[in-house]
């Protein structure tokens, strides 16, 4: 009997240490204390062989107190349910914020990727246009027009080769004019 009382008291103290339940917690503590005292009175009457006193103690104290405990526990359960519902709503809101944040980062990445692609494409087109311009000038016989772009990649090598070809052809034509 004392172990069960101690177990009930320890469980209740563990619960109340983790939560702020205000007056409901104090009310339940009072109801539990009354219940334990009433149950002890009833058990003492039974042990003494006084069945009527045990019946009265049970009906007058234990039963109403257990109904009060049940009602108070229902209030605590409702508080826990409300707190859980609030936590769930907060979690859903935070999840939505995270999803919008991820979407924003994704869109920013796409915009950056498109911007960088456009810059690289513009640079390539500029180099190809320069190579085309020089080849048209050479084809038209204008060997004085030099390649103006300098690059350190494959297109730069192409432009350098075109400049070398232009310079060689220019040298050959100069040589023919001399003779």
């Amino acid at each position: 009997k004392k172990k069960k009382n101690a177990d009930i008291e320890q469980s209740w103290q563990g619960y109340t240490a983790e939560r702020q339940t205000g007056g409901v917690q104090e009310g339940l503590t009072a109801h539990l204390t009354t219940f334990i005292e009433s149950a002890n009175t009833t058990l003492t009457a039974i042990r003494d062989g006084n069945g009527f006193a045990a019946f009265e103690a049970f009906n007058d104290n234990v039963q109403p107190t257990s109904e009060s405990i049940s009602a108070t526990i229902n209030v605590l359960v409702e508080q826990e349910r409300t707190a859980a519902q609030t936590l769930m709503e907060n979690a859903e809101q935070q999840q939505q914020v995270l999803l919008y944040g991820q979407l924003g980062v994704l869109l920013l990445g796409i915009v950056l990727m498109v911007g960088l692609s456009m810059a690289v494409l513009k640079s390539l087109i500029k180099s190809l246009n320069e190579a085309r311009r020089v080849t048209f000038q050479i084809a038209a016989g204008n060997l004085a027009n030099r390649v103006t772009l300098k690059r350190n990649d494959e297109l730069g090598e192409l432009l350098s080769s075109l400049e070398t070809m232009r310079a060689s052809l220019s040298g050959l034509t100069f040589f023919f004019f001399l003779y």
Side-chain angles (χ1 to χ4, degrees):
K1 167 177 104 173
K2 288 194 179 218
K3 179 162 176 28
K4 288 192 182 213
N5 290 347
D7 288 344
I8 291 172
E9 185 66 29
Q10 183 179 10
S11 295
W12 179 240
Q13 287 175 356
Y15 175 82
T16 58
E18 295 176 7
R19 291 166 178 79
Q20 297 295 327
T21 56
V24 177
Q25 175 182 340
E26 293 167 1
L28 187 56
T29 300
H31 291 308
L32 285 172
T33 302
T34 303
F35 179 81
I36 291 169
E37 291 170 358
S38 300
N40 285 338
T41 303
T42 302
L43 291 173
T44 301
I46 290 172
R47 196 173 329 125
D48 292 343
N50 191 349
F52 184 72
F55 179 74
E56 277 186 330
F58 181 80
N59 281 340
D60 293 343
N61 297 321
V62 174
Q63 181 128 11
T65 304
S66 66
E67 290 170 3
S68 297
I69 290 171
S70 176
T72 305
I73 288 174
N74 287 339
V75 169
L76 287 172
V77 167
E78 183 60 28
Q79 286 177 351
E80 289 293 319
R81 190 195 66 74
T82 302
Q85 184 71 27
T86 303
L87 282 174
M88 185 181 73
E89 289 169 1
N90 288 341
E92 286 174 351
Q93 288 173 349
Q94 289 175 356
Q95 180 184 21
Q96 198 170 31
V97 167
L98 283 173
L99 286 175
Y100 286 138
Q102 289 174 341
L103 180 62
V105 168
L106 178 67
L107 290 176
L108 179 64
I110 290 171
V111 167
L112 285 174
M113 184 180 66
V114 167
L116 286 172
S117 297
M118 297 281 288
V120 167
L121 187 60
K122 183 178 177 182
S123 174
L124 289 173
I125 289 173
K126 183 178 178 183
S127 296
L128 288 173
N129 282 337
E130 176 70 8
R132 189 179 62 149
R133 182 189 65 78
V134 169
T135 54
F136 282 152
Q137 291 293 320
I138 292 171
N142 181 4
L143 299 176
N145 199 349
R146 295 183 179 270
V147 175
T148 58
L149 285 179
K150 303 289 184 212
R151 293 180 56 119
N152 293 326
D153 59 2
E154 289 80 8
L155 282 175
E157 290 178 21
L158 173 66
L159 292 172
S160 177
S161 297
L162 286 173
E163 177 60 23
T164 303
M165 181 177 74
R166 185 208 58 82
S168 295
L169 287 173
S170 179
L172 284 175
T173 57
F174 180 71
F175 181 71
F176 282 125
F177 281 126
L178 287 177
Y179 292 106

